[in-house]
Amino acid sequence: MRYEIKQTLFSSSIYLPTMMLIVRTRNITALEKLFTIELPPGFALNHKPGQFVEVSLLGIGEAPISISSSPSRSNGSFEICVRKVGRLTKVIHTLNPGDTVGIRGPFGRGFPVEHFRGKDLLFAPGGLGLAPLRSLIYQVLDQRAMFGRVLILYGAKHPSELLFKDELDKWMEREDVELHLTVDRADENWTGNVGVITTLFPQIQVHARNTIAITCGPPVMYRFVLMELQSLGIPEGNIWLSLERRMKCGVGQCGHCQMNHIYTCLEGPVFSFSEIKHLEEAL
Ligand SMILES: Cc1cc2nc3c(=O)[nH]c(=O)nc-3n(C[C@H](O)[C@H](O)[C@H](O)COP(=O)(O)OP(=O)(O)OC[C@H]3O[C@@H](n4cnc5c(N)ncnc54)[C@H](O)[C@@H]3O)c2cc1C
Ligand code: FES
């Protein structure tokens, strides 16, 4: 695994945020909001899907947030999808186009997309886990001919909590994407599958050895999804997941994100299952 402190793209110090302009906001659900952030002129984020940025507001705090837009659609800006959970994220939700935020990064290890070429891809995001995987999904869709099947199994607690519904509708219409949705609890308009994400697995068949599985979601989901992926016969080295840990610095200096001997902010948040399965604190 790599073990290096990364220099932020925009500043001479790894701790110094660059102030960037919010150019667009979109309410995604009652709790999640999408922010489009403009890069300073002449700069590219050059991120990999799965990487995160540290987002800060002066006098309030800083938090790691995954980059939700694809590198293939950069166009001088990037997107983050923020769930309102606490002190910082509540204030971020009050921001509007024209406001600025501090950004450090991109940090962490993203998905090794180059190793996914020619393979079938099985995405299994749960809830907010679609936000980071959306970055990878769009990169794959923008280079569609380089990959085999694209299957997406996406679950949320309730229909009102499904992220990016308009985009899900578009993926549903595509013949080269197999999208299966589920919710834990239906409402009166829901006609799809009801049950946790693992109830979708019996509906699919995969060519296990040629399949890369990519999952991201709440910690409680991983154990069950991993069991399903293994029972499909997908090799451990072909299973990729993004782990969330409490992070502060994002650059391997503070130890907040340590999991056994590993700094998640540097060596993750993306890992293959074979890399972490022996780590007691991982799952
Ligand atoms: C690599 C990485 C990527 C992330 N990507 C996203 C993203 O794309 N969108 C997004 O909305 N959030 C993301 N998060 C989580 C986000 O960083 C936290 O929700 C945020 O730090 C909360 O800050 P706050 O000040 O609003 O909440 P606080 O006031 O600090 O806490 C409010 C509540 O949230 C809980 N909480 C705080 N931090 C975390 C955390 N890291 N994980 C789980 N629960 C937490 C606390 O226990 C508390 O119950 C990511 C975290 C990591 C480590
Ligand atoms: S967040 Fe500081 S070491 Fe990882």
Side-chain angles (χ1 to χ4, degrees), residues 184-197:
D184 296 357
R185 282 178 298 109
D187 62 13
E188 62 281 6
N189 298 318
W190 183 257
T191 53
N193 195 78
V194 178
V196 293
I197 190 169

Side-chain angles (χ1 to χ4, degrees), residues 63-66 81-83 85-89 128 244-246:
I65 303 287
S66 305
C81 179
V82 180
R83 175 177 284 177
V85 294
R87 194 172 132 76
L88 176 65
T89 49
L128 184 57
E244 258 198 32
R245 282 293 179 279
R246 297 302 169 88

Side-chain angles (χ1 to χ4, degrees), residues 185-223:
R185 282 178 298 109
D187 62 13
E188 62 281 6
N189 298 318
W190 183 257
T191 53
N193 195 78
V194 178
V196 293
I197 190 169
T198 48
T199 61
L200 293 176
F201 282 82
Q203 300 176 21
I204 61 160
Q205 286 185 328
V206 297
H207 178 10
R209 302 210 82 75
N210 194 47
T211 299
I212 301 281
I214 303 133
T215 182
C216 182
V220 63
M221 187 188 97
Y222 282 120
R223 187 170 307 168

Side-chain angles (χ1 to χ4, degrees), residues 70-82:
S70 166
S72 54
R73 299 186 176 198
S74 165
N75 205 15
S77 63
F78 65 99
E79 291 170 331
I80 55 171
C81 179
V82 180

Side-chain angles (χ1 to χ4, degrees), residues 11-218:
S11 122
S12 55
S13 161
I14 52 174
Y15 300 114
L16 196 61
T18 300
M19 297 312 292
M20 294 192 199
L21 189 68
I22 296 170
V23 287
R24 220 168 13 255
T25 63
R26 175 154 72 99
N27 289 323
I28 300 292
T29 68
L31 280 184
E32 278 99 7
K33 194 165 175 178
L34 189 72
F35 295 85
T36 307
I37 299 171
E38 190 175 70
L39 294 160
F43 280 94
L45 197 60
N46 287 331
H47 71 287
K48 270 195 153 187
Q51 286 193 296
F52 63 93
V53 286
E54 289 281 350
V55 182
S56 59
L57 288 177
L58 198 63
I60 299 174
E62 188 175 42
I65 303 287
S66 305
I67 301 158
S68 191
S69 51
S70 166
S72 54
R73 299 186 176 198
S74 165
N75 205 15
S77 63
F78 65 99
E79 291 170 331
I80 55 171
C81 179
V82 180
R83 175 177 284 177
K84 190 165 48 167
V85 294
R87 194 172 132 76
L88 176 65
T89 49
K90 275 182 189 152
V91 183
I92 291 178
H93 266 241
T94 66
L95 299 178
N96 293 305
D99 292 330
T100 53
V101 282
I103 299 288
R104 294 191 294 127
F107 294 133
R109 180 172 71 154
F111 293 100
V113 190
E114 56 286 356
H115 296 305
F116 297 173
R117 298 212 173 111
K119 306 281 190 187
D120 294 341
L121 303 181
L122 167 56
F123 294 91
L128 184 57
L130 183 60
L133 295 200
R134 176 176 176 262
S135 173
L136 179 57
I137 289 170
Y138 277 122
Q139 178 157 10
V140 167
L141 294 183
D142 288 345
Q143 304 170 341
R144 187 65 190 85
M146 289 185 182
F147 303 91
R149 288 170 70 195
V150 172
L151 292 104
I152 305 171
L153 313 185
Y154 178 40
K157 286 193 185 130
H158 187 262
S160 62
E161 295 180 28
L162 286 166
L163 300 188
F164 306 112
K165 281 203 197 87
D166 50 337
E167 300 176 33
L168 296 176
D169 287 344
K170 290 194 180 125
W171 298 348
M172 194 66 94
E173 283 167 13
R174 286 180 70 130
E175 286 184 1
D176 58 357
V177 174
E178 298 162 60
L179 174 65
H180 299 255
L181 300 177
T182 189
V183 294
D184 296 357
R185 282 178 298 109
D187 62 13
E188 62 281 6
N189 298 318
W190 183 257
T191 53
N193 195 78
V194 178
V196 293
I197 190 169
T198 48
T199 61
L200 293 176
F201 282 82
Q203 300 176 21
I204 61 160
Q205 286 185 328
V206 297
H207 178 10
R209 302 210 82 75
N210 194 47
T211 299
I212 301 281
I214 303 133
T215 182
C216 182

